[in-house]
Amino acid sequence: MGSVTVDATGVLRVGVIGTGMIGEDHVRRLTSTLSGCRVSAVTDVDAERARAVADVAPGARVHDSGEDLVRDGEVDAVVVASWGATHEQYVLACLAAGKPVFCEKPLAPSAKECLRIVEAEAAIGRRMVQVGFMRRYDTAFAQLKRAVDAGTIGAPLLVHCAHRNASVPGHFVADMAITDSAVHEFDIVRWLLDDEIVAVRVLKPRANGHGRDVQDPLLILLETAGGVLIDVETSVNIQYGYDIRAEVVGESGTVELPQAGNVVVRQSGGVTALIAMDWRDRFRQAYDVELQAWVDAAAKGGATGPTSWDGYVATTISEAAVWSMGTGSRVPIKLEDRPVLYAVS
Ligand code: NAP
């Protein structure tokens, strides 16, 4: 670990780059929910939006650019929540400045950009980057992993996943069902199975009429080095809600996430369970735990949880899946050598 990066009062001063949907949510979380931190600076290409978000964080100043924010002496650590194409430049700036950084997924849109981050961090020789794969901090996913690790269902053989959104905004294009949505599944199944994805194939059924000209849904088939097969349905216009599913089929049983909600209501001749309408509802607790873990690690100069290497692997699988969506072919996943920093213990 490096030097402790908190201020004289023991509080980690966090700068947030990008105050859009999730950036704003993280500013609120860092200000009102988490402990040991405060937001000392924000920036966004939309300066008015940055100023509005800064209003919820007492004392936060607004910078003209991400680079200015990273240079700020009153910023100990940085959250990058801007558009994916800008992630690499800000994460590299943080590494050059010796500041721990939490980067929202995807680490970067291309494997080449991710690798440059991996190489820069590996050259420093210690963890400084955490990637925002928050599902690893979700209670239900953690229970799923504990059951698999305990051997409760024998060796895992198959995993069925679904990633369903009620609807998506107008700028959504077909690739984003892979690069924005399924990238979470690419990370979570590697983590869940302690196994590596070796090939991917994307199949396209009849298109959902709610999807304008976006091909939706997709069926993504993944193969692991250990021989497990995984199917991931992405449906981004399914209307009824935000629904994340995962079921692991083992040699002697199955284990799955609860279908929806925490309570079931029986009334008027029917049974209902409430379902989240978006990712903020469904993963609120996971975002809180994830970012608190980062704050605690960053206060000691480091990072924890999903690594730059995990970000690189997830983006590599996304790239292969996008290629498969275009060609219909099975695409093998080729990874560079894993630096010692990210060795699996
Ligand atoms: P968003 O609402 O579009 O917010 C992105 C913000 O960053 C926008 O305000 C955008 O401004 C701004 N921005 C773009 N380029 C910038 C730059 N160079 N410097 C500073 N700000 C810049 O998107 P979002 O949904 O919050 O997503 C942001 C990131 O978080 C994405 O990488 C996304 O994949 C990720 N995300 C992760 C999760 C998760 O579950 N972990 C959930 C949602 C989003 P303009 O709009 O003016 O371009």
Side-chain angles (χ1 to χ4, degrees):
M1 285 277 162
S3 56
V4 176
T5 57
V6 292
D7 74 2
T9 62
V11 170
L12 184 79
R13 296 165 302 183
V14 180
V16 177
I17 301 178
T19 52
M21 266 196 299
I22 201 158
E24 178 180 24
D25 219 38
H26 285 335
V27 168
R28 184 199 47 73
R29 176 171 285 118
L30 289 158
T31 304
S32 313
T33 308
L34 307 185
S35 60
C37 56
R38 71 179 172 87
V39 174
S40 58
V42 300
T43 186
D44 195 286
V45 282
D46 180 345
E48 211 169 297
R49 183 166 176 83
R51 275 193 292 277
V53 172
D55 282 348
V56 307
R61 42 190 179 203
V62 179
H63 282 288
D64 289 340
S65 73
E67 284 77 8
D68 283 353
L69 178 142
V70 172
R71 274 193 294 269
D72 186 338
E74 291 188 16
V75 167
D76 304 313
V78 176
V79 168
V80 176
S82 48
W83 184 45
T86 64
H87 289 183
E88 182 200 4
Q89 74 191 77
Y90 298 136
V91 172
L92 289 179
C94 290
L95 291 178
K99 297 190 179 184
V101 53
F102 176 92
C103 181
E104 263 310 335
K105 64 81 190 156
L107 178 58
S110 74
K112 226 173 6 180
E113 291 163 284
C114 292
L115 258 189
R116 287 197 285 262
I117 294 172
V118 163
E119 283 161 6
E121 189 182 33
I124 293 169
R126 68 189 168 86
R127 290 273 321 268
M128 300 274 295
V129 181
Q130 181 172 335
V131 181
F133 287 125
M134 78 298 175
R135 289 186 184 185
R136 296 184 184 204
Y137 296 91
D138 177 65
T139 304
F141 269 108
Q143 284 172 358
L144 195 64
K145 179 158 176 62
R146 274 201 294 278
V148 171
D149 287 351
T152 317
I153 57 166
L157 310 172
L158 296 166
V159 186
H160 305 296
C161 300
H163 190 140
R164 298 179 181 159
N165 294 73
S167 61
V168 284
H171 66 262
F172 196 94
V173 294
D175 290 7
M176 290 170 74
I178 293 169
T179 57
D180 247 48
S181 301
V183 68
H184 278 295
E185 272 75 18
F186 301 158
D187 179 69
I188 207 71
V189 294
R190 293 179 61 239
W191 171 81
L192 191 60
L193 301 171
D194 284 323
D195 203 351
E196 210 53 88
I197 309 295
V198 295
V200 59
R201 184 164 181 210
V202 178
L203 304 176
K204 297 181 278 195
R206 197 172 98 182
N208 183 337
H210 294 292
R212 306 177 315 276
D213 51 351
V214 173
Q215 168 60 45
D216 170 57
L218 298 176
L219 189 63
I220 304 172
L221 304 176
L222 303 165
E223 301 166 31
T224 75
V228 179
L229 290 183
I230 299 144
D231 57 272
V232 181
E233 168 206 323
T234 61
S235 286
V236 298
N237 291 288
I238 204 151
Q239 310 293 303
Y240 74 85
Y242 178 75
D243 198 4
I244 300 301
R245 297 187 179 197
E247 178 189 30
V248 183
V249 178
E251 291 170 298
S252 53
T254 69
V255 54
E256 66 187 285
L257 297 180
Q259 289 284 303
N262 295 317
V263 292
V264 172
V265 179
R266 290 181 168 77
Q267 188 220 14
S268 304
V271 181
T272 45
L274 287 183
I275 201 153
M277 283 314 285
D278 74 11
W279 42 271
R280 279 168 293 204
D281 270 4
R282 168 62 183 86
F283 286 112
R284 191 178 310 281
Q285 163 268 346
Y287 291 119
D288 289 350
V289 179
E290 164 197 59
L291 219 55
Q292 185 67 64
W294 174 72
V295 165
D296 296 345
K300 297 182 190 133
T304 185
T307 65
S308 299
W309 179 258
D310 294 322
Y312 157 71
V313 175
T315 293
T316 302
I317 300 167
S318 286
E319 275 185 348
V322 169
W323 182 259
S324 176
M325 184 169 67
T327 60
S329 57
R330 172 186 177 276
V331 181
I333 308 293
K334 294 192 192 78
L335 299 176
E336 298 298 326
D337 291 340
R338 186 194 291 247
V340 180
L341 180 61
Y342 312 104
V344 188
S345 53

